[in-house]
Amino acid sequence: MATPAPSKKVILSGIQPTNRLTLGNYLGAIKNWVKLQKDFHCHYMAVDLHAYTVRQDPEALRNNTYTAIAIYIASGIDLEHCTLFVQSHIPQHAQLAWLLNCNGYMGELSRMTQYKDKSSKAGANIPVGLFTYPLLMAADILLYDTHLVPVGDDQKQHVELTRDLAQRMNGLYGDDTFVVPEPYIPPVAARVMDLLSPTNKMSKSAVNENGSIFLTDSPTDIEKKFKRAETDSGKEIRHDRQNKPGVSNLIDIQAAITGESIAAIEARYDGKMYGHLKVETAEIVKQELGPIQKHAQELLADKTELDRILKQGAEKARAKAEVTLRRVHERIGFIMS
Ligand code: TYM
């Protein structure tokens, strides 16, 4: 039997601790995690197994993982409401991923946009993990009987694959084998764009770092990057993603942080110049990130405490993951230990 439905629905999400996290990760994911945390049973993790699909420097991976966790807490993730953990601390993720590997199809994985994009940059030897990565993500989600997955727009396809897999296996092993999850895509800033090439997504691994705002950027860097942000040859400050992607991106960033509507922001900038929009967007971002950076630094100064938090999170997560994995093993026909 699937675990009885909890009084609150379940949320799970994660970020790869590769390089430094960006404003895209913050607005597309973390800020919404915080908003949703009181109304759901939330599970938030640093997905280090996913990060390993691309070669990582061991020291940098360790530091980036601690920093990601510190940023989650500093952004307002409340340990009373959320289970916070590191993916590799829960062996069941890799175990369930194997079972999903035996149920996912080559064709559907080949269609994943992110695989096509990343593999085209990987050179001659494409790691198999890059191909099967969405199945590990599906395992992350299905292990916790997740109802809702808050992610940016770029991860929607992976959540849809997870739904397909859950339904396929429910067809084989019974309807209550897996909860079929839904994506939760934020209404604004679901795809924060690169500041220098605003038709591309802002990314941790952009070739030109000046196009990405990293959550650890200094106030001076934030100002400089916004000042250089690509706009267009017009003058009007208007939200029009098709024809004015750079200006629309800055408006979206403001809207996602302040909660102001797009129309209100447009009205506020009536008759003003692009320079005003850039300077004020930088200011809003600095105000938002300043306290988070300060708190994250304090947390990072005490790794023993972070380790304690992660141990506690791992214990809670492992207990739940084990129940789901045993249920699936039993249904598949493995002898139970
Ligand atoms: P990752 O690490 O690429 O991104 C983490 C989260 O940030 C969102 N995001 C963005 N949102 C808006 N604008 C952007 N420019 C932007 N860039 C990134 C992503 O949509 C994501 O929500 N496979 C996932 C991590 C993962 C996961 C999971 C997520 C692994 N297991 C289970 C949810 C549930 C990834 O690589 O995200």
Side-chain angles (χ1 to χ4, degrees), residues 12-16 22 24-25 28-29 45 47 50 87 114 133 137 140-141 149-155 158 189-193 201-204:
L12 175 132
S13 198
I15 300 181
Q16 294 194 45
T22 69
N25 299 131
M45 46 175 187
V47 288
H50 276 92
Q87 187 186 29
Q114 204 167 67
Y133 147 122
M137 178 162 162
D140 300 339
I141 297 168
V149 187
V151 281
D153 187 52
D154 61 325
Q155 295 296 322
H158 292 157
R191 185 174 284 260
V192 177
M193 306 310 272
K201 185 187 78 163
M202 184 182 286
S203 150
K204 298 178 207 122

PDB file of all heavy atoms in Angstrom, residues 12-16 22 24-25 28-29 45 47 50 87 114 133 137 140-141 149-155 158 189-193 201-204, ligand 1:
ATOM      1  N   LEU A  12       8.668  18.484  -3.383  1.00  0.00           N
ATOM      2  CA  LEU A  12      10.106  18.189  -3.418  1.00  0.00           C
ATOM      3  C   LEU A  12      10.751  18.980  -4.540  1.00  0.00           C
ATOM      4  O   LEU A  12      10.174  19.137  -5.620  1.00  0.00           O
ATOM      5  CB  LEU A  12      10.343  16.690  -3.651  1.00  0.00           C
ATOM      6  CG  LEU A  12      11.835  16.360  -3.809  1.00  0.00           C
ATOM      7  CD1 LEU A  12      12.262  15.180  -2.963  1.00  0.00           C
ATOM      8  CD2 LEU A  12      12.202  16.144  -5.271  1.00  0.00           C
ATOM      9  N   SER A  13      11.947  19.497  -4.243  1.00  0.00           N
ATOM     10  CA  SER A  13      12.707  20.142  -5.314  1.00  0.00           C
ATOM     11  C   SER A  13      14.186  20.162  -4.949  1.00  0.00           C
ATOM     12  O   SER A  13      14.555  19.873  -3.806  1.00  0.00           O
ATOM     13  CB  SER A  13      12.187  21.557  -5.569  1.00  0.00           C
ATOM     14  OG  SER A  13      12.622  22.002  -6.841  1.00  0.00           O
ATOM     15  N   GLY A  14      15.022  20.479  -5.948  1.00  0.00           N
ATOM     16  CA  GLY A  14      16.460  20.493  -5.698  1.00  0.00           C
ATOM     17  C   GLY A  14      17.194  21.335  -6.719  1.00  0.00           C
ATOM     18  O   GLY A  14      16.637  21.702  -7.763  1.00  0.00           O
ATOM     19  N   ILE A  15      18.435  21.667  -6.372  1.00  0.00           N
ATOM     20  CA  ILE A  15      19.299  22.433  -7.279  1.00  0.00           C
ATOM     21  C   ILE A  15      20.654  21.735  -7.338  1.00  0.00           C
ATOM     22  O   ILE A  15      21.137  21.230  -6.316  1.00  0.00           O
ATOM     23  CB  ILE A  15      19.472  23.890  -6.783  1.00  0.00           C
ATOM     24  CG1 ILE A  15      18.100  24.594  -6.711  1.00  0.00           C
ATOM     25  CG2 ILE A  15      20.427  24.668  -7.680  1.00  0.00           C
ATOM     26  CD1 ILE A  15      18.158  26.043  -6.246  1.00  0.00           C
ATOM     27  N   GLN A  16      21.242  21.717  -8.504  1.00  0.00           N
ATOM     28  CA  GLN A  16      22.572  21.112  -8.634  1.00  0.00           C
ATOM     29  C   GLN A  16      23.622  22.069  -8.075  1.00  0.00           C
ATOM     30  O   GLN A  16      23.696  23.206  -8.527  1.00  0.00           O
ATOM     31  CB  GLN A  16      22.914  20.916 -10.108  1.00  0.00           C
ATOM     32  CG  GLN A  16      22.042  19.920 -10.806  1.00  0.00           C
ATOM     33  CD  GLN A  16      22.645  19.523 -12.136  1.00  0.00           C
ATOM     34  OE1 GLN A  16      23.838  19.250 -12.241  1.00  0.00           O
ATOM     35  NE2 GLN A  16      21.836  19.482 -13.158  1.00  0.00           N
ATOM     36  N   THR A  22      22.555  30.962  -9.278  1.00  0.00           N
ATOM     37  CA  THR A  22      22.264  32.238  -9.956  1.00  0.00           C
ATOM     38  C   THR A  22      20.930  32.833  -9.493  1.00  0.00           C
ATOM     39  O   THR A  22      20.125  32.164  -8.836  1.00  0.00           O
ATOM     40  CB  THR A  22      22.148  32.032 -11.480  1.00  0.00           C
ATOM     41  OG1 THR A  22      20.955  31.264 -11.722  1.00  0.00           O
ATOM     42  CG2 THR A  22      23.345  31.320 -12.070  1.00  0.00           C
ATOM     43  N   GLY A  24      18.585  33.186 -11.404  1.00  0.00           N
ATOM     44  CA  GLY A  24      17.583  32.309 -12.027  1.00  0.00           C
ATOM     45  C   GLY A  24      17.168  31.206 -11.056  1.00  0.00           C
ATOM     46  O   GLY A  24      15.981  30.930 -10.882  1.00  0.00           O
ATOM     47  N   ASN A  25      18.140  30.584 -10.396  1.00  0.00           N
ATOM     48  CA  ASN A  25      17.827  29.537  -9.413  1.00  0.00           C
ATOM     49  C   ASN A  25      17.012  30.118  -8.262  1.00  0.00           C
ATOM     50  O   ASN A  25      16.087  29.482  -7.749  1.00  0.00           O
ATOM     51  CB  ASN A  25      19.110  28.915  -8.822  1.00  0.00           C
ATOM     52  CG  ASN A  25      19.981  28.242  -9.860  1.00  0.00           C
ATOM     53  OD1 ASN A  25      21.186  28.480  -9.903  1.00  0.00           O
ATOM     54  ND2 ASN A  25      19.397  27.430 -10.726  1.00  0.00           N
ATOM     55  N   GLY A  28      13.471  31.360  -9.893  1.00  0.00           N
ATOM     56  CA  GLY A  28      12.720  30.251 -10.491  1.00  0.00           C
ATOM     57  C   GLY A  28      12.405  29.164  -9.472  1.00  0.00           C
ATOM     58  O   GLY A  28      11.426  28.437  -9.610  1.00  0.00           O
ATOM     59  N   ALA A  29      13.244  29.042  -8.435  1.00  0.00           N
ATOM     60  CA  ALA A  29      13.060  27.936  -7.495  1.00  0.00           C
ATOM     61  C   ALA A  29      12.997  28.412  -6.038  1.00  0.00           C
ATOM     62  O   ALA A  29      11.920  28.450  -5.441  1.00  0.00           O
ATOM     63  CB  ALA A  29      14.172  26.909  -7.695  1.00  0.00           C
ATOM     64  N   MET A  45      16.585  19.778  -1.477  1.00  0.00           N
ATOM     65  CA  MET A  45      17.915  19.150  -1.403  1.00  0.00           C
ATOM     66  C   MET A  45      18.919  19.809  -2.334  1.00  0.00           C
ATOM     67  O   MET A  45      18.559  20.514  -3.279  1.00  0.00           O
ATOM     68  CB  MET A  45      17.812  17.663  -1.718  1.00  0.00           C
ATOM     69  CG  MET A  45      16.987  17.407  -2.919  1.00  0.00           C
ATOM     70  SD  MET A  45      16.941  15.698  -3.405  1.00  0.00           S
ATOM     71  CE  MET A  45      16.057  15.930  -4.915  1.00  0.00           C
ATOM     72  N   VAL A  47      21.367  18.565  -5.053  1.00  0.00           N
ATOM     73  CA  VAL A  47      21.433  17.311  -5.809  1.00  0.00           C
ATOM     74  C   VAL A  47      22.857  17.086  -6.333  1.00  0.00           C
ATOM     75  O   VAL A  47      23.156  17.281  -7.499  1.00  0.00           O
ATOM     76  CB  VAL A  47      20.368  17.235  -6.932  1.00  0.00           C
ATOM     77  CG1 VAL A  47      18.990  17.042  -6.339  1.00  0.00           C
ATOM     78  CG2 VAL A  47      20.356  18.460  -7.816  1.00  0.00           C
ATOM     79  N   HIS A  50      23.408  14.566  -9.178  1.00  0.00           N
ATOM     80  CA  HIS A  50      23.147  15.169 -10.492  1.00  0.00           C
ATOM     81  C   HIS A  50      24.343  15.992 -10.959  1.00  0.00           C
ATOM     82  O   HIS A  50      24.699  15.978 -12.135  1.00  0.00           O
ATOM     83  CB  HIS A  50      21.914  16.074 -10.448  1.00  0.00           C
ATOM     84  CG  HIS A  50      20.635  15.335 -10.626  1.00  0.00           C
ATOM     85  ND1 HIS A  50      19.898  14.853  -9.577  1.00  0.00           N
ATOM     86  CD2 HIS A  50      19.962  14.996 -11.740  1.00  0.00           C
ATOM     87  CE1 HIS A  50      18.829  14.245 -10.047  1.00  0.00           C
ATOM     88  NE2 HIS A  50      18.843  14.314 -11.353  1.00  0.00           N
ATOM     89  N   GLN A  87      21.429  14.992  -1.555  1.00  0.00           N
ATOM     90  CA  GLN A  87      20.938  13.804  -2.271  1.00  0.00           C
ATOM     91  C   GLN A  87      21.783  12.548  -2.011  1.00  0.00           C
ATOM     92  O   GLN A  87      21.249  11.471  -1.779  1.00  0.00           O
ATOM     93  CB  GLN A  87      20.925  14.133  -3.767  1.00  0.00           C
ATOM     94  CG  GLN A  87      20.293  13.114  -4.668  1.00  0.00           C
ATOM     95  CD  GLN A  87      20.494  13.509  -6.127  1.00  0.00           C
ATOM     96  OE1 GLN A  87      21.486  14.169  -6.468  1.00  0.00           O
ATOM     97  NE2 GLN A  87      19.573  13.126  -6.975  1.00  0.00           N
ATOM     98  N   GLN A 114      17.218  19.317 -22.529  1.00  0.00           N
ATOM     99  CA  GLN A 114      18.449  19.595 -21.796  1.00  0.00           C
ATOM    100  C   GLN A 114      19.551  18.597 -22.171  1.00  0.00           C
ATOM    101  O   GLN A 114      20.718  18.972 -22.282  1.00  0.00           O
ATOM    102  CB  GLN A 114      18.179  19.537 -20.299  1.00  0.00           C
ATOM    103  CG  GLN A 114      19.199  20.350 -19.541  1.00  0.00           C
ATOM    104  CD  GLN A 114      18.787  20.586 -18.106  1.00  0.00           C
ATOM    105  OE1 GLN A 114      18.720  19.647 -17.315  1.00  0.00           O
ATOM    106  NE2 GLN A 114      18.512  21.831 -17.756  1.00  0.00           N
ATOM    107  N   TYR A 133      20.093  10.995 -16.672  1.00  0.00           N
ATOM    108  CA  TYR A 133      19.863  11.956 -15.581  1.00  0.00           C
ATOM    109  C   TYR A 133      18.378  12.206 -15.257  1.00  0.00           C
ATOM    110  O   TYR A 133      17.992  12.242 -14.085  1.00  0.00           O
ATOM    111  CB  TYR A 133      20.654  13.206 -15.960  1.00  0.00           C
ATOM    112  CG  TYR A 133      20.155  14.565 -15.581  1.00  0.00           C
ATOM    113  CD1 TYR A 133      20.958  15.397 -14.791  1.00  0.00           C
ATOM    114  CD2 TYR A 133      18.942  15.059 -16.035  1.00  0.00           C
ATOM    115  CE1 TYR A 133      20.539  16.671 -14.458  1.00  0.00           C
ATOM    116  CE2 TYR A 133      18.524  16.320 -15.701  1.00  0.00           C
ATOM    117  CZ  TYR A 133      19.311  17.124 -14.909  1.00  0.00           C
ATOM    118  OH  TYR A 133      18.883  18.362 -14.578  1.00  0.00           O
ATOM    119  N   MET A 137      16.291  12.114 -11.579  1.00  0.00           N
ATOM    120  CA  MET A 137      15.394  13.188 -11.105  1.00  0.00           C
ATOM    121  C   MET A 137      13.997  12.613 -10.817  1.00  0.00           C
ATOM    122  O   MET A 137      13.360  12.982  -9.815  1.00  0.00           O
ATOM    123  CB  MET A 137      15.326  14.306 -12.155  1.00  0.00           C
ATOM    124  CG  MET A 137      14.401  15.418 -11.779  1.00  0.00           C
ATOM    125  SD  MET A 137      14.754  16.906 -12.743  1.00  0.00           S
ATOM    126  CE  MET A 137      13.220  17.803 -12.488  1.00  0.00           C
ATOM    127  N   ASP A 140      14.135  10.960  -7.513  1.00  0.00           N
ATOM    128  CA  ASP A 140      14.089  11.954  -6.419  1.00  0.00           C
ATOM    129  C   ASP A 140      12.639  12.267  -6.076  1.00  0.00           C
ATOM    130  O   ASP A 140      12.253  12.316  -4.911  1.00  0.00           O
ATOM    131  CB  ASP A 140      14.722  13.291  -6.850  1.00  0.00           C
ATOM    132  CG  ASP A 140      16.174  13.188  -7.258  1.00  0.00           C
ATOM    133  OD1 ASP A 140      16.833  12.211  -6.866  1.00  0.00           O
ATOM    134  OD2 ASP A 140      16.653  14.097  -7.983  1.00  0.00           O
ATOM    135  N   ILE A 141      11.870  12.511  -7.126  1.00  0.00           N
ATOM    136  CA  ILE A 141      10.493  12.981  -6.939  1.00  0.00           C
ATOM    137  C   ILE A 141       9.594  11.846  -6.415  1.00  0.00           C
ATOM    138  O   ILE A 141       8.851  12.011  -5.453  1.00  0.00           O
ATOM    139  CB  ILE A 141       9.953  13.534  -8.278  1.00  0.00           C
ATOM    140  CG1 ILE A 141      10.782  14.753  -8.712  1.00  0.00           C
ATOM    141  CG2 ILE A 141       8.467  13.875  -8.187  1.00  0.00           C
ATOM    142  CD1 ILE A 141      10.538  15.224 -10.144  1.00  0.00           C
ATOM    143  N   VAL A 149       6.037  19.795  -7.728  1.00  0.00           N
ATOM    144  CA  VAL A 149       7.479  19.999  -7.915  1.00  0.00           C
ATOM    145  C   VAL A 149       7.715  21.444  -8.377  1.00  0.00           C
ATOM    146  O   VAL A 149       7.531  21.757  -9.558  1.00  0.00           O
ATOM    147  CB  VAL A 149       8.041  19.004  -8.964  1.00  0.00           C
ATOM    148  CG1 VAL A 149       9.558  19.096  -9.024  1.00  0.00           C
ATOM    149  CG2 VAL A 149       7.601  17.583  -8.662  1.00  0.00           C
ATOM    150  N   PRO A 150       8.106  22.337  -7.457  1.00  0.00           N
ATOM    151  CA  PRO A 150       8.334  23.721  -7.867  1.00  0.00           C
ATOM    152  C   PRO A 150       9.679  23.887  -8.577  1.00  0.00           C
ATOM    153  O   PRO A 150      10.732  23.720  -7.964  1.00  0.00           O
ATOM    154  CB  PRO A 150       8.305  24.514  -6.541  1.00  0.00           C
ATOM    155  CG  PRO A 150       8.549  23.516  -5.466  1.00  0.00           C
ATOM    156  CD  PRO A 150       8.277  22.146  -6.006  1.00  0.00           C
ATOM    157  N   VAL A 151       9.612  24.189  -9.854  1.00  0.00           N
ATOM    158  CA  VAL A 151      10.822  24.324 -10.678  1.00  0.00           C
ATOM    159  C   VAL A 151      10.637  25.467 -11.676  1.00  0.00           C
ATOM    160  O   VAL A 151       9.512  25.904 -11.927  1.00  0.00           O
ATOM    161  CB  VAL A 151      11.113  23.033 -11.502  1.00  0.00           C
ATOM    162  CG1 VAL A 151      11.751  21.959 -10.650  1.00  0.00           C
ATOM    163  CG2 VAL A 151       9.861  22.514 -12.189  1.00  0.00           C
ATOM    164  N   GLY A 152      11.755  25.913 -12.246  1.00  0.00           N
ATOM    165  CA  GLY A 152      11.693  26.851 -13.358  1.00  0.00           C
ATOM    166  C   GLY A 152      11.208  26.128 -14.609  1.00  0.00           C
ATOM    167  O   GLY A 152      11.132  24.882 -14.644  1.00  0.00           O
ATOM    168  N   ASP A 153      10.899  26.918 -15.604  1.00  0.00           N
ATOM    169  CA  ASP A 153      10.335  26.421 -16.849  1.00  0.00           C
ATOM    170  C   ASP A 153      11.189  25.321 -17.519  1.00  0.00           C
ATOM    171  O   ASP A 153      10.669  24.368 -18.096  1.00  0.00           O
ATOM    172  CB  ASP A 153      10.246  27.672 -17.737  1.00  0.00           C
ATOM    173  CG  ASP A 153       9.556  27.443 -19.010  1.00  0.00           C
ATOM    174  OD1 ASP A 153       8.447  26.914 -18.937  1.00  0.00           O
ATOM    175  OD2 ASP A 153      10.128  27.771 -20.065  1.00  0.00           O
ATOM    176  N   ASP A 154      12.519  25.426 -17.401  1.00  0.00           N
ATOM    177  CA  ASP A 154      13.414  24.485 -18.093  1.00  0.00           C
ATOM    178  C   ASP A 154      13.307  23.054 -17.568  1.00  0.00           C
ATOM    179  O   ASP A 154      13.729  22.119 -18.242  1.00  0.00           O
ATOM    180  CB  ASP A 154      14.877  24.963 -17.989  1.00  0.00           C
ATOM    181  CG  ASP A 154      15.355  25.049 -16.551  1.00  0.00           C
ATOM    182  OD1 ASP A 154      14.555  25.400 -15.666  1.00  0.00           O
ATOM    183  OD2 ASP A 154      16.532  24.738 -16.308  1.00  0.00           O
ATOM    184  N   GLN A 155      12.749  22.867 -16.357  1.00  0.00           N
ATOM    185  CA  GLN A 155      12.667  21.515 -15.798  1.00  0.00           C
ATOM    186  C   GLN A 155      11.305  20.862 -16.000  1.00  0.00           C
ATOM    187  O   GLN A 155      11.083  19.726 -15.592  1.00  0.00           O
ATOM    188  CB  GLN A 155      12.993  21.542 -14.300  1.00  0.00           C
ATOM    189  CG  GLN A 155      14.427  21.950 -13.996  1.00  0.00           C
ATOM    190  CD  GLN A 155      15.434  20.959 -14.542  1.00  0.00           C
ATOM    191  OE1 GLN A 155      15.207  19.739 -14.518  1.00  0.00           O
ATOM    192  NE2 GLN A 155      16.543  21.444 -15.069  1.00  0.00           N
ATOM    193  N   HIS A 158      11.215  17.462 -17.647  1.00  0.00           N
ATOM    194  CA  HIS A 158      11.648  16.343 -16.799  1.00  0.00           C
ATOM    195  C   HIS A 158      10.536  15.909 -15.840  1.00  0.00           C
ATOM    196  O   HIS A 158      10.400  14.719 -15.542  1.00  0.00           O
ATOM    197  CB  HIS A 158      12.898  16.743 -15.991  1.00  0.00           C
ATOM    198  CG  HIS A 158      14.117  16.944 -16.842  1.00  0.00           C
ATOM    199  ND1 HIS A 158      15.181  17.716 -16.451  1.00  0.00           N
ATOM    200  CD2 HIS A 158      14.438  16.479 -18.064  1.00  0.00           C
ATOM    201  CE1 HIS A 158      16.104  17.714 -17.395  1.00  0.00           C
ATOM    202  NE2 HIS A 158      15.672  16.971 -18.396  1.00  0.00           N
ATOM    203  N   ALA A 189       9.077  35.135 -13.832  1.00  0.00           N
ATOM    204  CA  ALA A 189      10.480  34.733 -13.711  1.00  0.00           C
ATOM    205  C   ALA A 189      10.670  33.218 -13.718  1.00  0.00           C
ATOM    206  O   ALA A 189      11.579  32.700 -13.074  1.00  0.00           O
ATOM    207  CB  ALA A 189      11.124  35.343 -12.474  1.00  0.00           C
ATOM    208  N   ALA A 190       9.834  32.505 -14.451  1.00  0.00           N
ATOM    209  CA  ALA A 190      10.013  31.064 -14.598  1.00  0.00           C
ATOM    210  C   ALA A 190      11.231  30.782 -15.478  1.00  0.00           C
ATOM    211  O   ALA A 190      11.766  29.675 -15.484  1.00  0.00           O
ATOM    212  CB  ALA A 190       8.776  30.449 -15.222  1.00  0.00           C
ATOM    213  N   ARG A 191      11.655  31.789 -16.238  1.00  0.00           N
ATOM    214  CA  ARG A 191      12.855  31.657 -17.072  1.00  0.00           C
ATOM    215  C   ARG A 191      13.566  33.009 -17.065  1.00  0.00           C
ATOM    216  O   ARG A 191      13.263  33.880 -17.893  1.00  0.00           O
ATOM    217  CB  ARG A 191      12.459  31.229 -18.497  1.00  0.00           C
ATOM    218  CG  ARG A 191      13.631  30.939 -19.405  1.00  0.00           C
ATOM    219  CD  ARG A 191      13.162  30.394 -20.733  1.00  0.00           C
ATOM    220  NE  ARG A 191      12.749  29.007 -20.630  1.00  0.00           N
ATOM    221  CZ  ARG A 191      13.517  27.980 -20.997  1.00  0.00           C
ATOM    222  NH1 ARG A 191      14.706  28.181 -21.511  1.00  0.00           N
ATOM    223  NH2 ARG A 191      13.077  26.749 -20.875  1.00  0.00           N
ATOM    224  N   VAL A 192      14.458  33.188 -16.099  1.00  0.00           N
ATOM    225  CA  VAL A 192      15.245  34.420 -16.044  1.00  0.00           C
ATOM    226  C   VAL A 192      16.294  34.315 -17.147  1.00  0.00           C
ATOM    227  O   VAL A 192      16.935  33.268 -17.308  1.00  0.00           O
ATOM    228  CB  VAL A 192      15.921  34.584 -14.659  1.00  0.00           C
ATOM    229  CG1 VAL A 192      16.804  35.815 -14.619  1.00  0.00           C
ATOM    230  CG2 VAL A 192      14.863  34.638 -13.557  1.00  0.00           C
ATOM    231  N   MET A 193      16.430  35.383 -17.923  1.00  0.00           N
ATOM    232  CA  MET A 193      17.297  35.301 -19.096  1.00  0.00           C
ATOM    233  C   MET A 193      18.688  35.865 -18.808  1.00  0.00           C
ATOM    234  O   MET A 193      18.872  36.660 -17.883  1.00  0.00           O
ATOM    235  CB  MET A 193      16.648  36.051 -20.267  1.00  0.00           C
ATOM    236  CG  MET A 193      15.225  35.599 -20.571  1.00  0.00           C
ATOM    237  SD  MET A 193      15.034  33.821 -20.730  1.00  0.00           S
ATOM    238  CE  MET A 193      15.373  33.605 -22.461  1.00  0.00           C
ATOM    239  N   LYS A 201      18.647  31.383 -21.564  1.00  0.00           N
ATOM    240  CA  LYS A 201      18.389  31.272 -20.122  1.00  0.00           C
ATOM    241  C   LYS A 201      19.624  31.670 -19.312  1.00  0.00           C
ATOM    242  O   LYS A 201      20.744  31.320 -19.704  1.00  0.00           O
ATOM    243  CB  LYS A 201      18.043  29.799 -19.858  1.00  0.00           C
ATOM    244  CG  LYS A 201      17.628  29.464 -18.479  1.00  0.00           C
ATOM    245  CD  LYS A 201      17.484  27.949 -18.333  1.00  0.00           C
ATOM    246  CE  LYS A 201      18.832  27.266 -18.186  1.00  0.00           C
ATOM    247  NZ  LYS A 201      18.795  25.905 -17.670  1.00  0.00           N
ATOM    248  N   MET A 202      19.448  32.374 -18.206  1.00  0.00           N
ATOM    249  CA  MET A 202      20.574  32.635 -17.306  1.00  0.00           C
ATOM    250  C   MET A 202      21.017  31.307 -16.712  1.00  0.00           C
ATOM    251  O   MET A 202      20.184  30.522 -16.266  1.00  0.00           O
ATOM    252  CB  MET A 202      20.154  33.597 -16.180  1.00  0.00           C
ATOM    253  CG  MET A 202      21.308  33.978 -15.280  1.00  0.00           C
ATOM    254  SD  MET A 202      20.826  35.067 -13.908  1.00  0.00           S
ATOM    255  CE  MET A 202      20.584  36.621 -14.732  1.00  0.00           C
ATOM    256  N   SER A 203      22.346  31.077 -16.721  1.00  0.00           N
ATOM    257  CA  SER A 203      22.809  29.747 -16.336  1.00  0.00           C
ATOM    258  C   SER A 203      24.051  29.832 -15.458  1.00  0.00           C
ATOM    259  O   SER A 203      24.816  30.795 -15.538  1.00  0.00           O
ATOM    260  CB  SER A 203      23.088  28.969 -17.632  1.00  0.00           C
ATOM    261  OG  SER A 203      24.100  28.033 -17.447  1.00  0.00           O
ATOM    262  N   LYS A 204      24.235  28.782 -14.614  1.00  0.00           N
ATOM    263  CA  LYS A 204      25.419  28.731 -13.742  1.00  0.00           C
ATOM    264  C   LYS A 204      26.680  28.612 -14.579  1.00  0.00           C
ATOM    265  O   LYS A 204      27.757  28.986 -14.161  1.00  0.00           O
ATOM    266  CB  LYS A 204      25.355  27.489 -12.844  1.00  0.00           C
ATOM    267  CG  LYS A 204      24.206  27.428 -11.894  1.00  0.00           C
ATOM    268  CD  LYS A 204      24.267  26.116 -11.108  1.00  0.00           C
ATOM    269  CE  LYS A 204      22.905  25.666 -10.657  1.00  0.00           C
ATOM    270  NZ  LYS A 204      22.509  24.343 -11.135  1.00  0.00           N
TER     271      LYS A 204
HETATM  272  P1  TYM B   1      19.174  23.234 -11.914  1.00  0.00           P
HETATM  273  O1  TYM B   1      20.212  23.013 -10.882  1.00  0.00           O
HETATM  274  O2  TYM B   1      19.607  23.461 -13.316  1.00  0.00           O
HETATM  275  O3  TYM B   1      18.248  24.458 -11.507  1.00  0.00           O
HETATM  276  C1  TYM B   1      17.656  24.499 -10.218  1.00  0.00           C
HETATM  277  C2  TYM B   1      16.319  25.188 -10.270  1.00  0.00           C
HETATM  278  O4  TYM B   1      16.464  26.511 -10.780  1.00  0.00           O
HETATM  279  C3  TYM B   1      15.621  26.692 -11.903  1.00  0.00           C
HETATM  280  N1  TYM B   1      16.305  27.560 -12.851  1.00  0.00           N
HETATM  281  C4  TYM B   1      15.777  28.680 -13.340  1.00  0.00           C
HETATM  282  N2  TYM B   1      14.582  29.259 -13.149  1.00  0.00           N
HETATM  283  C5  TYM B   1      14.349  30.426 -13.798  1.00  0.00           C
HETATM  284  N3  TYM B   1      15.257  31.009 -14.632  1.00  0.00           N
HETATM  285  C6  TYM B   1      16.455  30.445 -14.864  1.00  0.00           C
HETATM  286  N4  TYM B   1      17.340  31.025 -15.663  1.00  0.00           N
HETATM  287  C7  TYM B   1      16.769  29.226 -14.199  1.00  0.00           C
HETATM  288  N5  TYM B   1      17.857  28.413 -14.192  1.00  0.00           N
HETATM  289  C8  TYM B   1      17.543  27.397 -13.369  1.00  0.00           C
HETATM  290  C9  TYM B   1      15.416  25.302 -12.479  1.00  0.00           C
HETATM  291  O5  TYM B   1      14.257  25.233 -13.255  1.00  0.00           O
HETATM  292  C10 TYM B   1      15.338  24.483 -11.210  1.00  0.00           C
HETATM  293  O6  TYM B   1      14.048  24.566 -10.649  1.00  0.00           O
HETATM  294  N6  TYM B   1      17.448  18.613 -12.632  1.00  0.00           N
HETATM  295  C11 TYM B   1      17.327  19.801 -11.830  1.00  0.00           C
HETATM  296  C12 TYM B   1      17.558  19.562 -10.362  1.00  0.00           C
HETATM  297  C13 TYM B   1      16.757  18.447  -9.795  1.00  0.00           C
HETATM  298  C14 TYM B   1      15.408  18.509  -9.366  1.00  0.00           C
HETATM  299  C15 TYM B   1      15.117  17.215  -8.873  1.00  0.00           C
HETATM  300  C16 TYM B   1      14.452  19.515  -9.386  1.00  0.00           C
HETATM  301  C17 TYM B   1      17.204  17.199  -9.556  1.00  0.00           C
HETATM  302  N7  TYM B   1      16.228  16.444  -8.986  1.00  0.00           N
HETATM  303  C18 TYM B   1      13.849  16.909  -8.389  1.00  0.00           C
HETATM  304  C19 TYM B   1      13.182  19.204  -8.886  1.00  0.00           C
HETATM  305  C20 TYM B   1      12.894  17.911  -8.390  1.00  0.00           C
HETATM  306  C21 TYM B   1      18.334  20.824 -12.310  1.00  0.00           C
HETATM  307  O7  TYM B   1      19.302  20.509 -12.945  1.00  0.00           O
HETATM  308  O8  TYM B   1      18.093  22.078 -11.871  1.00  0.00           O
END
